[in-house]
Structures are given as structure tokens and as C-alpha cells.
């Protein structure tokens, strides 16, 4: 049977495809901006006829209908990185959270720790040889799809065709759901503030020519990219790429010419951005997507010389412990690639492992609080340990904690805390015998 005949014979509607799901199944849901919306909507409609179905996912740019309270007992999300659409359900105990490094996320499926019955994937149209690609989300999906008992795919005419380890042949898929709709978009550039701009400038001035960048989620990494236009031969090795890289590639700043591994290539696991990024990346051999267990492996990362890792935090205590995935006992997001890249960059020759955060935050009641704190909130998880931390940057400067005593760390962190809180932090540090 040729691939065209096979492809035609396995095409069906989303409503038909979800009837391949059985009670008790575990579904892997491809995520980020690649959520297969038709399949997910059909599953929500069919869910009352199912019981005990688990949906494993990372960040999903989608609605929250599939974690609605009335689906309890039918569908239950197990999120390995909590996105805003499922956060309330996790915090209320209606959905689960599994802490895991992003580099190890796919291996939970491939090693059978979380066996996958059905993988929902979102792919580009087949080429003349019957090969589709996993589109803008390959890093987390590749291993899960390979290890699943059944694969159900939305074939979207608007999904970019991507290079790297993204190919999937028609024969490897059990059901195809035709689709033709714009992909979800996530705008990285938030409304800028003087604090964000100052932090971005502090980081940008430390980035040398020939550096390789991790470009993470958030306003600060995106702002940093805007201050790099005078740099030369930058490169990208990152769990994600967003719109911010486009201008730097077109300006000849990102060339990858000095890259130690994959020279000349942008290496990533997935794309998270807008339609501009998807159209730009379509069939663009400069960008390669690879499995996250490779991209985020700290020892792969470390092979890049002058590796710059930029990550954020909710708060940092005076010993250097970084909390980024929870606010006290409330789970907020996940470790993501922070530990992978902080450790990988620390092993890189000339590497810069950076944690960046504004010195303060404003609570809902209008109160301003310091994000440099004597101790993390009770119940908060440590994302980057005090043993791994290197550079901390706020709008008041950048300090290097690595190899420093707790007394020295305390002094350095107080120096980049907001001036309004420095006396209080000093007093509390003395009470804790840090000073």
C-alpha cells in the first residue's frame, strides 16, 4: 500500500478519532503553541463517556475547558510544567503536578515510567515521500510519540515544516484529523518598564561576541535581545526560540559562526511566539528542533563555549537559593529548563549562568515586597540550589555568588536589593547569624 492510500484510509474527524480513547488511558498532549485544538475540543465533548483518563502535558497555550470541575473523574491533567490555564485546577487539587527537569520530561515516557497509551500530536502536511514534521513543538513530543501505543495527529495546513529531528512518517500514525487554522500565539514582549530595561542592559553588556544564548520565556530575556545589535557572531542553543531572534538573524548578529557544536545552526526544542515566527521558520534550515533530552542535557549545553543562560526567579534568599516554580506551598509553574541551563552554562568555558529578577514585586493589595528575602516562603520549592547559583541580577546590579561564603553572599545580595529593604535585610541577616 502506498502512503497516499494509507493516509486516506486513516483520515477521520476529531469526533471519530477521540473514540479510540478508552477509560483508564494515559494521553500525551503536545503543548506550547502547538496544542491540537480540534482533538482537545472533541475529547472534552466525549469525556463524560470516559473514566480515569489522564492527560500528561507541559505548558499549553489553550483554554481551561478540559480541566473544568465537571470533568472530574473523567479527565485529569498531570502537568509537568504548570501553565496559567491549568494553574487553578492544580492549586485546588483537581489536577496533578509532577516535578521534573525539562531535560528528563520526555524520558518519563520513553523509559516507561509514565507509559503512554495515546499521543495527541500536531503536524505539518506530508511531503511527496509521506513524511510530515512535528512542526513547532518537537522537543517534548518526539520521544512521547515514539513510545505511545497509538498516535493521533492533527494535520494542519498552517503548521510550518521544520528541520532537525522532527520527521514522522504517515505509517507511524494511527489516525489523521485534517485541520486548517492559525496556530496559537504567545507574545513574549510585555509592556516594558524601566526596571526591565535596566536589567536587560546589565545582562547585555556582559555578553561577549561569539556567545551562545539560551532565550527563555519572559520579558527580561526578550528585552536582552534588543540590546545585542552591536554584538558579533552570536548563536542560540535553547529549549525555545521566540520572535526576538528574527531581527538579530536578519541583522547578521546571530550567525552561529563560532559555535562549538552545530555551527551555523539555531538549536532548540520548540518555538513559542507569533505568526511572524512561524512563517519565518517554515522550511528554514538555519533552525533545527531536537528532542529536549538532547537540547537540555547539561553536558550538551556545556559543549557550547561562552554559554549564556538567562532565567528568572520569584524570589532569592540570602544564601542564594532560588525559588521559581512555587509561591510558598502554591505550585505556580515548574523547573522548566532553569537547572539544565544554569548547570550547563556553569560547565561551559566562559559561561554565564544568570538568574534575573526585579528587586521588588507588588502584591494584589498594593503592598511592595522585596524579592531578595532572608528566607524563602515556607513551603517554597528550591529551583536552583545555593550550590549551583552563580550570577544574580536586579536593576541595582549583577553579583557573582559562586565560591562565596554565606556572609559574602548576604552582603552581595543586599547590595542589589531595593534600597528601601536593605536595612531590614541587614537586621534579619544578623539575627540569622549570616552577618
Amino acid at each position: 500500500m502506498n502512503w497516499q492510500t494509507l493516509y486516506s484510509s486513516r483520515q477521520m474527524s476529531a469526533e471519530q478519532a477521540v473514540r479510540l480513547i478508552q477509560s483508564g488511558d494515559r494521553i500525551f498532549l503536545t503543548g506550547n503553541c502547538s496544542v491540537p485544538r480540534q482533538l482537545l475540543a472533541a475529547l472534552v465533548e466525549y469525556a463524560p463517556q470516559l473514566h480515569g483518563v489522564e492527560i500528561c502535558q507541559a505548558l499549553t497555550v489553550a483554554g481551561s475547558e478540559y480541566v473544568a470541575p465537571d470533568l472530574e473523574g473523567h479527565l485529569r491533567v498531570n502537568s509537568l510544567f504548570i501553565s496559567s490555564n491549568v494553574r487553578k485546577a492544580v492549586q485546588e487539587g483537581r489536577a496533578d503536578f509532577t516535578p521534573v527537569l525539562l531535560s528528563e520530561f520526555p524520558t518519563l515516557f520513553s523509559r516507561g515510567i509514565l507509559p503512554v497509551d495515546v499521543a495527541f500530536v500536531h503536524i505539518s502536511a506530508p511531503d511527496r515521500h509521506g513524511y510530515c514534521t512535528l512542526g513547532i513543538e518537537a522537543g517534548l513530543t518526539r520521544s512521547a510519540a515514539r513510545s505511545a501505543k497509538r498516535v493521533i495527529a492533527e494535520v494542519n495546513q498552517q503548521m510550518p515544516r521544520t528541520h532537525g529531528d522532527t520527521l514522522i512518517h504517515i505509517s507511524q500514525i494511527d489516525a489523521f484529523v485534517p485541520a486548517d487554522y492559525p496556530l496559537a500565539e504567545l507574545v513574549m514582549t510585555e509592556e516594558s518598564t524601566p526596571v526591565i530595561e535596566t536589567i536587560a542592559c546589565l545582562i547585555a553588556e556582559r555578553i561577549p561576541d561569539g556567545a551562545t544564548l539560551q532565550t527563555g520565556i519572559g520579558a527580561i530575556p526578550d528585552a536582552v535581545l534588543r540590546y545585542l545589535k552591536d554584538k558579533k557572531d552570536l548563536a542560540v542553543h535553547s529549549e525555545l526560540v521566540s520572535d526576538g531572534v528574527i531581527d538579530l538573524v536578519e541583522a547578521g548578529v546571530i550567525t552561529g559562526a563560532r559555535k562549538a557544536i552545530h555551527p551555523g545552526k539555531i538549536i532548540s526544542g520548540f518555538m513559542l511566539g507569533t505568526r511572524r515566527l512561524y512563517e519565518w521558520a517554515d522550511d528554514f534550515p538555519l533552525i533545527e528542533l531536537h528532542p529536549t533530552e538532547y537540547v537540555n542535557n547539561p553536558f550538551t549545553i556545556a559543549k557550547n563555549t561562552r554559554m549564556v543562560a538567562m532565567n528568572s526567579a520569584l524570589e532569592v534568599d540570602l544564601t542564594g537559593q532560588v525559588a521559581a516554580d512555587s509561591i510558598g506551598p502554591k505550585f505556580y509553574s515548574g523547573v522548566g529548563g532553569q537547572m539544565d541551563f544554569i548547570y550547563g552554562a556553569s560547565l561551559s568555558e566562559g559561561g554565564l549562568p544568570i538568574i534575573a529578577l526585579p528587586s521588588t514585586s507588588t502584591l494584589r493589595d498594593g503592598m511592595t515586597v522585596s524579592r531578595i528575602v532572608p528566607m524563602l516562603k515556607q513551603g517554597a520549592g528550591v529551583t536552583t540550589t545555593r550550590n549551583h547559583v552563580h550570577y544574580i541580577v536586579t536593576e541595582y546590579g549583577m553579583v557573582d555568588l559562586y565560591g562565596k561564603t554565606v556572609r559574602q553572599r548576604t552582603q552581595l545580595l543586599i547590595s542589589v536589593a531595593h534600597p528601601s529593604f536593605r536595612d531590614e535585610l541587614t537586621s534579619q541577616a544578623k539575627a540569622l547569624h549570616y552577618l
Side-chain angles (χ1 to χ4, degrees), residues 328-362:
K330 281 193 172 184
F331 299 122
Y332 186 80
S333 56
V335 62
Q338 181 169 132
M339 263 301 299
D340 298 327
F341 275 90
I342 291 295
Y343 188 44
S346 73
L347 298 175
S348 161
E349 182 183 344
L352 284 171
I354 297 169
I355 300 291
L357 71 164
S359 65
T360 64
S361 61
T362 304

Side-chain angles (χ1 to χ4, degrees), residues 32 102 134-142 162-166 188 212-217 235-243 245 259 261-262 264-273 277 280-281 284-297 300-301 304 307 341:
N32 298 307
L102 203 63
L134 292 169
I136 63 171
E137 209 305 274
L140 301 175
T141 301
R142 164 56 78 200
T162 51
H163 290 251
D165 188 2
T166 67
M188 289 291 176
T212 297
L213 310 177
Q214 174 212 13
T215 56
I217 297 175
V236 174
H237 181 109
S238 179
E239 71 263 45
L240 69 95
V241 291
S242 59
D243 294 60
V245 304
K259 208 161 183 269
I261 58 171
H262 304 285
K265 300 284 187 178
I266 292 173
I267 301 298
S268 184
F270 55 91
M271 299 179 202
L272 205 58
L277 175 68
W280 180 77
F284 192 5
L286 178 72
I287 303 174
E288 291 188 1
L289 303 186
H290 291 271
T292 302
E293 59 266 47
Y294 171 76
V295 175
N296 277 53
N297 184 316
T300 303
I301 295 165
N304 294 291
M307 183 74 219
F341 275 90

Side-chain angles (χ1 to χ4, degrees), residues 8 31 80 100 115 125 157 218 234 244 264 303 312 324 424:
S8 179
L80 286 74
V100 65
Q157 299 300 315
L234 298 182
K303 292 177 183 177
S312 60
E424 182 183 348

Side-chain angles (χ1 to χ4, degrees), residues 316-320 372-374 390 392 394 396-419 421-430 432-435:
V316 178
D317 78 11
L318 292 177
T319 73
I372 305 294
V373 294
H390 282 248
I392 302 290
T394 74
Y396 293 101
M398 182 186 293
V399 292
D400 184 3
L401 305 185
Y402 193 67
K404 304 297 194 301
T405 67
V406 170
R407 178 173 58 84
Q408 291 169 327
R409 289 170 177 228
T410 297
Q411 292 169 334
L412 289 168
L413 286 167
I414 290 174
S415 76
V416 296
H418 193 283
F421 293 96
R422 290 177 189 173
D423 288 345
E424 182 183 348
L425 287 169
T426 300
S427 175
Q428 291 170 316
K430 288 177 179 177
L432 291 166
H433 303 293
Y434 293 167
L435 292 176

